[in-house]
Amino acid sequence: MATSMQKLVGVSEEDDEEEMEMDVKEEDDEDEENGEKQIAAQMMIGVDEVMPSTSSSDQFQYQPQLQEQVSNQGGGGGARRSRPLEEKERTKLRERHRRAITARILAGLRRHGNYNLRVRADINDVIAALAREAGWVVLPDGTTFPSRSQSSPAAGTSAGMTSSSSQMVSQQIPPPPATLQGVSSGYRTTVEYNACRMKSVFMPTPSPYDLSSTAPAQSSGVVADGGEQTERLPLIAGSLQVINDKQIIGLPTKLPERDFGGTPFVPVYVMLPLGVINMKCELADPDGLLKQLRVLKSINVDGVMVDCWWGIVEAHAPQEYNWNGYQRLFQMVRELKLKLQVVMSFHECGGNVGDDVCIPLPHWVAEIGRSNPEIFFTDKEGRRNPECLSWGIDKERVLRGRTAVEVYFDYMRSFRVEFDEFFEDGIISMVEVGLGPCGELRYPSCPVKHGWRYPGIGEFQCHDQYMLKSLRKAAEMRGHSFWARGPDNAGSYNSQPHETGFFCDGGDYDGYYGRFFLNWYSQVLLNHGDRVLSLAKLAFDGTCITAKLPGIHWWYKTASHAAELTAGYYNPCNRDGYTAIATMLQKHGAALSFSCTEHHILEQQDHLLEALADPRGLVWQVLNAAWDVCIPIASENAFLCHDRVGYNKILDNVKPVNDPDGRHFSSFTYHRLSPLLMERQNFMEFERFVKRMHGEAVLDPQV
């Protein structure tokens, strides 16, 4: 069925039909060969009955004919089984019909969803995907579009399809590939794996929208070949039905979604585009932005989030700040009676996935970096990363007489003075403090510009002279000066844990030197967050401040958690690396901003299995660490989301249904405002999502 993909890349219908006929002929020849082998084998063992073969449904239908041929031919084991001409024609028609459906399904998934199906995808791949991803309707002619309803499959299922779906006719829908059925039984569950460090914590029942849950349940009116409306029939979750030699596929009646009416109010913010303010600190498109903000206000969005870029505001000289563009933006937001979340962005923009603009660090910082590149994070090969300043200069006066921490504080204090009226009026509701690359509290261990690709473990970033000075001091205090070095067997950016002597099971990460180094490495991260947040609390007294953590979920099911270690989270299987961070945030009254809460997209599921990833386990470890010290949790989506399945997954995480203490997130920020979000269908789904976040009952008349 691989040739059906050619329709999607410009092959004409005539060429495609010729390919179909060739494939059908090959299948016919294969069926005939199988028939020959059956007859020959039966003549050898002297049996009178023919056992059915699963290679073709036609062999079931023509079993009596085969038996008659065996009895009549006697020793003629070499005779070929002749098939009626009309049956061959019917087989060709069925194949053409199936291939047309395949092409429409693939086109629909690519157009309406974020699916990245392989080039040689066939109908079995599509059915396997749909069986795990709720929220799609597939009509008999192959038309595919997002559903208006979701299913509520039984919780706790992780093996893929239900028993009823596993009874589908094997000739048409074989069982899903092992790569889509979840981690093999050789791996422990998240609860078992982290039992040593996640005792007496809340673990919710699996969401109905998890990929590992059972098949989706929607309903759809189906259309026969002639275009007439027919009755609703089950699809995917039930068995395949053959009626009058036509395969009719439908969906089971839709099951009710979770009702969020009466649930706690969670404000929803929308992140503005990265380039909303240009390099001259002016609004890039004030009229277009005003129209979009009015539309957001019309559906009761609570506010917007915007990055305040260090590289724009203090671009040309130290302590010369230009806030003009932000003044106009904030005034526009206030007139619409929206709220503001602002990000103190002390990193560059343009070197990461999803960055569509380039905003470097201030020019005067870049000049210092050219004469003293040690101010930037450095890997073991000596490659510098100018995405943000090394934490080794937090207390070093190398920035025109100021330390890095002093530079950050002066910037935040200038912002607080410039926008005092917005703070006093409560327009600015939250300030997120940038603490590293992408504004996150982590080392830049996975830089795309240096060749990193998912799911590489990354590299330690501790080889600039200031970080090495700190490491040397720590080693001498420990009494082992020869430990003043980074690991030399930790692999490279794209290594996997088992390929290294440091991260493999029983590797050096858990030895005396390894524990010393990782403790120092993670403590530098904690100290940096502690210093900057203490000054942020002073600058923004009375306003909520937050720190952002990423969701580094790959290699979470290994013992070392290598990708987390290189990012600065000392979180192997025998140690909890997030409690110390949560405690530090609690010390400063800061909230935790965390993504990685909606990993559900099927195209990533294979990657999760290959990388021994566990997003769900990571999410609940981090959330429990925060809730244990009673700090608020804000969140944002890690991936583009425009469909109901994704929104439902976010809702289930933001408002856990069975949390014994009724805990929920303090706010949610949608990532981000774009023309795609403003498309009619996408915006309708987003409006529905906002209402449910606000705890409103949503009556959905759509089918």
Side-chain angles (χ1 to χ4, degrees):
M1 296 186 182
T3 55
S4 63
M5 290 295 299
Q6 296 179 2
K7 280 193 174 184
L8 302 179
V9 293
V11 179
S12 66
E13 294 183 0
E14 292 79 8
D15 293 342
D16 189 62
E17 186 169 324
E18 291 177 5
E19 293 285 348
M20 292 178 186
E21 292 179 357
M22 292 175 62
D23 286 350
V24 171
K25 185 177 185 303
E26 290 175 0
E27 289 190 10
D28 292 346
D29 293 342
E30 183 181 352
D31 289 343
E32 291 173 357
E33 284 186 34
N34 290 339
E36 278 186 3
K37 292 177 181 179
Q38 275 190 318
I39 295 172
Q42 290 165 7
M43 292 304 299
M44 291 176 64
I45 61 176
V47 294
D48 294 328
E49 294 182 355
V50 179
M51 298 300 292
S53 169
T54 59
S55 62
S56 169
S57 58
D58 298 315
Q59 291 175 349
F60 284 99
Q61 299 172 9
Y62 286 90
Q63 180 177 338
Q65 181 179 349
L66 291 175
Q67 291 176 341
E68 183 177 356
Q69 287 181 343
V70 172
S71 60
N72 291 339
Q73 291 171 352
R80 292 177 60 89
R81 173 173 61 91
S82 62
R83 295 177 57 188
L85 180 60
E86 58 180 320
E87 176 59 25
K88 292 184 178 181
E89 293 299 323
R90 290 172 64 186
T91 299
K92 291 180 180 179
L93 289 175
R94 283 198 299 269
E95 287 302 312
R96 289 170 182 163
H97 182 61
R98 286 198 303 175
R99 293 169 192 276
I101 290 177
T102 300
R104 292 190 184 100
I105 290 175
L106 295 172
L109 291 177
R110 287 189 173 88
R111 179 178 179 183
H112 298 292
N114 292 322
Y115 287 81
N116 183 21
L117 295 170
R118 62 188 179 89
V119 175
R120 299 185 64 83
D122 59 22
I123 191 64
N124 293 331
D125 296 321
V126 178
I127 291 178
L130 293 175
R132 287 163 177 78
E133 183 73 23
W136 293 92
V137 173
V138 181
L139 299 183
D141 67 345
T143 303
T144 302
F145 52 89
S147 171
R148 302 293 179 267
S149 63
Q150 304 299 336
S151 63
S152 296
T157 305
S158 61
M161 305 183 66
T162 60
S163 59
S164 61
S165 61
S166 65
Q167 296 172 358
M168 294 181 181
V169 178
S170 59
Q171 293 85 347
Q172 303 296 341
I173 309 177
T179 56
L180 294 176
Q181 292 183 352
V183 180
S184 66
S185 59
Y187 299 115
R188 291 173 288 178
T189 65
T190 301
V191 178
E192 294 169 340
Y193 192 85
N194 296 291
C196 61
R197 61 186 179 192
M198 296 181 65
K199 299 177 181 178
S200 302
V201 297
F202 164 61
M203 289 296 292
T205 55
S207 166
Y209 312 104
D210 286 342
L211 278 177
S212 58
S213 300
T214 52
Q218 290 97 358
S219 63
S220 171
V222 296
V223 182
D225 292 345
E228 297 177 279
Q229 187 75 16
T230 63
E231 62 177 335
R232 301 180 185 278
L233 294 168
L235 169 68
I236 296 176
S239 60
L240 188 70
Q241 301 185 29
V242 180
I243 302 178
N244 295 328
D245 291 328
K246 292 185 179 181
Q247 300 165 359
I248 301 179
I249 302 178
L251 289 171
T253 57
K254 70 174 183 179
L255 297 177
E257 292 181 303
R258 178 182 164 192
D259 181 13
F260 286 89
T263 57
F265 180 95
V266 175
V268 177
Y269 291 77
V270 175
M271 188 177 296
L272 296 182
L274 293 170
V276 66
I277 303 291
N278 63 26
M279 291 301 296
K280 298 179 180 179
C281 202
E282 300 171 344
L283 270 177
D285 181 14
D287 295 334
L289 178 62
L290 180 59
K291 292 178 182 178
Q292 291 179 321
L293 292 179
R294 285 173 176 167
V295 174
L296 293 178
K297 179 63 178 179
S298 71
I299 63 170
N300 296 319
V301 167
D302 297 277
V304 294
M305 174 180 274
V306 61
D307 290 278
C308 293
W309 294 102
W310 182 33
I312 292 178
V313 175
E314 196 182 358
H316 303 293
Q319 295 181 285
E320 291 185 7
Y321 307 104
N322 177 9
W323 299 103
N324 293 339
Y326 291 101
Q327 277 282 7
R328 187 175 179 186
L329 171 62
F330 289 11
Q331 186 64 36
M332 187 184 298
V333 171
R334 178 165 63 180
E335 290 173 355
L336 292 173
K337 294 181 170 56
L338 293 169
K339 300 284 187 180
L340 273 166
Q341 293 179 338
V342 294
V343 183
M344 299 288 100
S345 298
F346 298 113
H347 61 283
E348 75 169 10
C349 176
N352 293 288
V353 177
D355 291 350
D356 53 5
V357 297
C358 180
I359 304 173
L361 296 185
H363 300 312
W364 60 272
V365 173
E367 290 177 2
I368 296 173
R370 281 191 284 271
S371 60
N372 180 17
E374 301 292 337
I375 67 173
F376 300 123
F377 281 106
T378 308
D379 63 20
K380 65 182 180 181
E381 301 295 332
R383 288 171 291 194
R384 315 290 183 178
N385 189 337
E387 185 175 355
C388 60
L389 297 179
S390 168
W391 300 335
I393 64 170
D394 276 0
K395 297 189 291 184
E396 300 285 342
R397 297 191 177 278
V398 294
L399 301 175
R400 305 280 177 89
R402 293 186 294 168
T403 67
V405 171
E406 289 172 345
V407 169
Y408 303 146
F409 178 65
D410 290 342
Y411 182 86
M412 292 186 288
R413 184 171 54 183
S414 172
F415 177 83
R416 178 63 179 82
V417 171
E418 184 75 19
F419 298 101
D420 178 70
E421 58 182 315
F422 292 92
F423 282 96
E424 295 298 327
D425 294 341
I427 303 299
I428 297 178
S429 61
M430 187 184 79
V431 177
E432 183 178 296
V433 183
L435 297 172
C438 298
E440 299 165 340
L441 181 58
R442 65 173 175 88
Y443 287 89
S445 56
C446 301
V448 175
K449 65 180 70 176
H450 290 167
W452 174 85
R453 296 295 182 269
Y454 176 88
I457 60 176
E459 290 189 17
F460 292 112
Q461 305 292 312
C462 60
H463 298 274
D464 62 84
Q465 71 177 37
Y466 302 103
M467 292 288 284
L468 290 175
K469 175 183 174 182
S470 173
L471 177 58
R472 190 178 307 111
K473 182 179 178 180
E476 290 172 354
M477 290 180 62
R478 181 68 183 271
H480 301 289
S481 57
F482 56 92
W483 281 356
R485 56 177 177 81
D488 55 9
N489 60 345
S492 58
Y493 285 113
N494 294 312
S495 297
Q496 298 187 5
H498 65 273
E499 298 170 346
T500 72
F502 192 81
F503 297 115
C504 65
D505 290 349
D508 292 345
Y509 79 93
D510 203 28
Y512 290 110
Y513 161 73
R515 289 195 293 268
F516 158 77
F517 173 80
L518 293 172
N519 185 70
W520 166 82
Y521 191 71
S522 61
Q523 191 61 46
V524 171
L525 176 145
L526 277 172
N527 292 342
H528 171 73
D530 184 56
R531 294 189 196 103
V532 177
L533 289 178
S534 64
L535 296 177
K537 181 181 179 181
L538 181 62
F540 304 119
D541 185 34
T543 302
C544 176
I545 61 175
T546 66
K548 184 178 179 182
L549 292 186
I552 301 180
H553 54 80
W554 52 103
W555 307 117
Y556 189 85
K557 289 186 177 181
T558 62
S560 62
H561 292 218
E564 292 170 88
L565 296 185
T566 58
Y569 307 128
Y570 193 4
N571 191 54
C573 66
N574 57 356
R575 190 180 188 276
D576 186 350
Y578 295 101
T579 295
I581 296 174
T583 302
M584 183 268 293
L585 297 180
Q586 190 268 344
K587 169 185 173 183
H588 301 293
L592 168 66
S593 177
F594 188 61
S595 57
C596 191
T597 59
E598 82 305 340
H599 289 270
H600 64 282
I601 302 176
L602 180 65
E603 68 184 22
Q604 296 172 349
Q605 189 71 358
D606 289 338
H607 299 166
L608 299 182
L609 299 179
E610 294 170 3
L612 296 179
D614 187 3
R616 186 177 181 83
L618 173 64
V619 166
W620 290 110
Q621 184 189 356
V622 174
L623 297 190
N624 279 289
W627 280 333
D628 283 347
V629 295
C630 301
I631 61 175
I633 300 173
S635 182
E636 64 183 50
N637 51 308
F639 302 105
L640 287 177
C641 179
H642 301 294
D643 62 274
R644 191 167 299 183
V645 177
Y647 288 137
N648 284 337
K649 179 64 177 173
I650 293 171
L651 282 159
D652 280 341
N653 283 313
V654 170
K655 300 181 180 184
V657 65
N658 59 348
D659 187 293
D661 300 312
R663 295 172 295 196
H664 58 84
F665 290 8
S666 61
S667 68
F668 177 80
T669 302
Y670 179 83
H671 185 284
R672 67 181 65 240
L673 181 63
S674 67
L676 187 59
L677 174 64
M678 291 299 175
E679 291 183 3
R680 183 176 180 274
Q681 182 60 45
N682 293 339
F683 196 74
M684 288 173 61
E685 284 293 339
F686 182 67
E687 179 182 10
R688 186 178 186 275
F689 167 72
V690 171
K691 289 180 178 179
R692 301 175 87 197
M693 274 289 194
H694 288 170
E696 300 177 24
V698 176
L699 298 177
D700 189 4
Q702 304 175 28
V703 178

